[in-house]
Amino acid sequence: MSDDPTRVQEFFAARAADWDSRFPDDGPAYTAAVAALGLCPGGRVLDAGCGTGRALPPLRAAVGPSGTVLGADLTPAMLEAAVRAGRDAEGQLLLTDVSRLPLRTGALDAVFGAGLISHLPHPEENLRELARVVRPDGVLALFHPIGRAALAARHGRQITPDDLRAEPRLRPLLARSGWRLTSYVDEDARFLALAVRES
């Protein structure tokens, strides 16, 4: 999968209409990953690369009616699918590139990114932009509803050492981008890396 923004947009635009039906059983995994963020009522959170908005309902449940939930995606067709699914009721949808977020510095308590990191054109820069919009000690969750080995097998390939989600690569990448990795889980049923925004 290319990390070129135009190719990413084309890839997801072609799959947006049936994206949710391809992965109908992911809901509980999303809910558990959102719970790991430790959000409080009134919190402010961004779903970066939100796609069809599957994380928006649990994010809204976590921050409650007084909280702020934003969903940002590069692909109009994915956001249209989120609207058709009624998930725009759970948060504000933004058609934007996560490498240039229209948010002020320190505006958020947390960022959730499902399947995000492998689609970032410039991972260090892009993770630094996510750090910019999060307050010190805020949290980042990099999530996938299946682990690296299971995902590679689904695509008929092996895990390679250059995978950005491998802990020996991810930890220093996050550190260079303003984050400190605090938890790393990579098992068949989920991938979840949690990091804290450094002061």
Side-chain angles (χ1 to χ4, degrees), residues 18-33:
D18 68 344
W19 188 258
D20 286 353
S21 63
R22 294 176 64 198
F23 309 105
D25 302 323
D26 288 350
Y30 273 79
T31 300

Side-chain angles (χ1 to χ4, degrees), residues 84-164:
R84 283 194 304 277
R87 296 184 185 125
D88 57 324
E90 308 294 346
Q92 181 182 353
L93 299 177
L94 306 172
L95 177 61
T96 189
D97 189 332
V98 298
S99 68
R100 294 181 305 278
L101 291 165
L103 300 172
R104 62 184 168 74
T105 298
L108 303 173
D109 299 306
V111 173
F112 183 84
L116 176 69
I117 193 164
S118 58
H119 302 302
L120 296 175
H122 307 288
E124 188 172 331
E125 267 176 53
N126 303 149
L127 289 167
R128 193 175 295 120
E129 171 66 355
L130 295 179
R132 180 189 70 77
V133 300
V134 173
R135 64 169 172 77
D137 298 321
V139 183
L140 169 69
L142 297 173
F143 165 72
H144 201 284
I146 60 174
R148 292 186 314 124
L151 183 62
R154 177 188 285 174
H155 295 292
R157 60 178 192 263
Q158 299 289 320
I159 295 178
T160 60
D162 63 343
D163 183 350
L164 284 178

